Amino acid sequence: DTEVTQTPKHLVMGMTNKKSLKCEQHMGHRAMYWYKQKAKKPPELMFVYSYEKLSINESVPSRFSPECPNSSLLNLHLHALQPEDSALYLCASSQDLSGVSSPLHFGNGTRLTVT
Amino acid sequence: SQELEQSPQSLIVQEGKNLTINCTSSKTLYGLYWYKQKYGEGLIFLMMLQKGGEEKSHEKITAKLDEKKQQSSLHITASQPSHAGIYLCGADIGAGGTSYGKLTFGQGTILTVHP
């Protein structure tokens, strides 16, 4: 069982819909991440939050909007997505951003399909 | 080209056989993580290697880090069907290991273990 919980597990949405992905961790971690993973590819970093502040945005299109309401929660708001945005979206957390000594713990992901 | 190259890309072994997966970096390694992923699921943290020459073991899996060669290896002894999955190496390969959360992954090695 993972200690990072993501909901929903699966999501199908149209290109005009607005939806949100949710992520929760109760390990006291202060850094949280969103990764995107296409089929047969490694995860690619999208956003990093540290102490509830956006630390890294990897030039992600504005149709993806992250939010960190508190240290345990991370949301990803989706609007006007394209079919090529269909992917597995992974949330992760780590104790902090101290680099190699702070491993990332991943959730099981949300499988997103954009129709 | 990939900053982290894994080899082989896929591996099929008979249960009970030993195997090795390699991860080579094009940049200086300041530490390295190994993860396992089942298809469509999240990444499970296996091990973290921080220092050159470091070797860690967990159950039948051993990982080593050779900083001079900018390489890490993951060795599984007496493989079992439960070892099947995708193995990913990840590293913070920013300057001085201070990319603050930007973990780069190799493309993964797909392991199949036949009973």
Side-chain angles (χ1 to χ4, degrees):
Chain A
D1 286 340
T2 179
E3 295 178 80
V4 177
T5 305
Q6 289 188 245
T7 55
K9 276 191 163 183
H10 302 276
L11 179 63
V12 179
M13 60 185 290
M15 289 190 283
T16 57
N17 291 158
K18 283 185 182 181
K19 296 285 185 184
S20 296
L21 309 185
K22 296 186 183 302
C23 175
E24 190 169 3
Q25 59 87 14
H26 293 290
M27 295 179 280
H29 288 174
R30 303 315 299 265
M32 296 187 77
Y33 310 75
W34 281 115
Y35 277 82
K36 174 182 177 180
Q37 188 177 26
K38 300 284 274 184
K40 299 184 180 180
K41 296 287 186 184
E44 292 180 344
L45 182 66
M46 299 175 73
F47 302 103
V48 180
Y49 272 83
S50 176
Y51 290 85
E52 299 155 50
K53 286 186 168 38
L54 185 63
S55 175
I56 296 175
N57 175 343
E58 288 289 285
S59 303
V60 179
S62 59
R63 57 186 184 268
F64 295 91
S65 176
E67 179 196 20
C68 190
N70 60 55
S71 59
S72 301
L73 291 173
L74 186 66
N75 299 322
L76 186 62
H77 302 298
L78 314 171
H79 173 55
L81 294 194
Q82 304 296 311
E84 59 264 29
D85 295 322
S86 299
L88 181 67
Y89 287 84
L90 293 162
C91 173
S93 69
S94 65
Q95 192 166 355
D96 51 37
L97 294 185
S98 59
V100 75
S101 61
S102 185
L104 273 64
H105 296 264
F106 284 83
N108 278 330
T110 293
R111 171 71 62 189
L112 174 68
T113 303
V114 182
T115 60
Chain B
S1 63
Q2 287 274 344
E3 290 178 311
L4 284 178
E5 289 275 355
Q6 283 187 237
S7 62
Q9 290 189 2
S10 64
L11 195 51
I12 301 172
V13 300
Q14 204 66 34
E15 183 176 0
K17 295 294 185 185
N18 301 336
L19 63 104
T20 299
I21 298 168
N22 292 305
C23 176
T24 303
S25 174
S26 60
K27 298 182 180 180
T28 302
L29 280 173
Y30 294 96
L32 189 123
Y33 303 95
W34 282 100
Y35 287 88
K36 179 185 174 185
Q37 185 177 29
K38 294 278 192 184
Y39 176 74
E41 298 181 7
L43 280 67
I44 299 167
F45 172 67
L46 296 175
M47 271 173 277
M48 173 176 69
L49 302 165
Q50 292 181 264
K51 302 173 191 174
E54 186 173 16
E55 180 175 322
K56 285 188 176 177
S57 293
H58 177 66
E59 297 180 345
K60 294 185 178 179
I61 301 176
T62 300
K64 300 179 188 178
L65 178 62
D66 185 334
E67 253 179 18
K68 287 183 183 177
K69 290 184 181 177
Q70 298 179 179
Q71 186 177 62
S72 177
S73 61
L74 185 85
H75 184 77
I76 299 178
T77 304
S79 58
Q80 299 168 354
S82 60
H83 287 127
I86 304 166
Y87 288 82
L88 291 142
C89 62
D92 181 349
I93 52 178
T98 54
S99 291
Y100 298 109
K102 187 172 179 178
L103 201 62
T104 299
F105 287 94
Q107 74 272 34
T109 295
I110 302 171
L111 173 63
T112 304
V113 181
H114 287 309

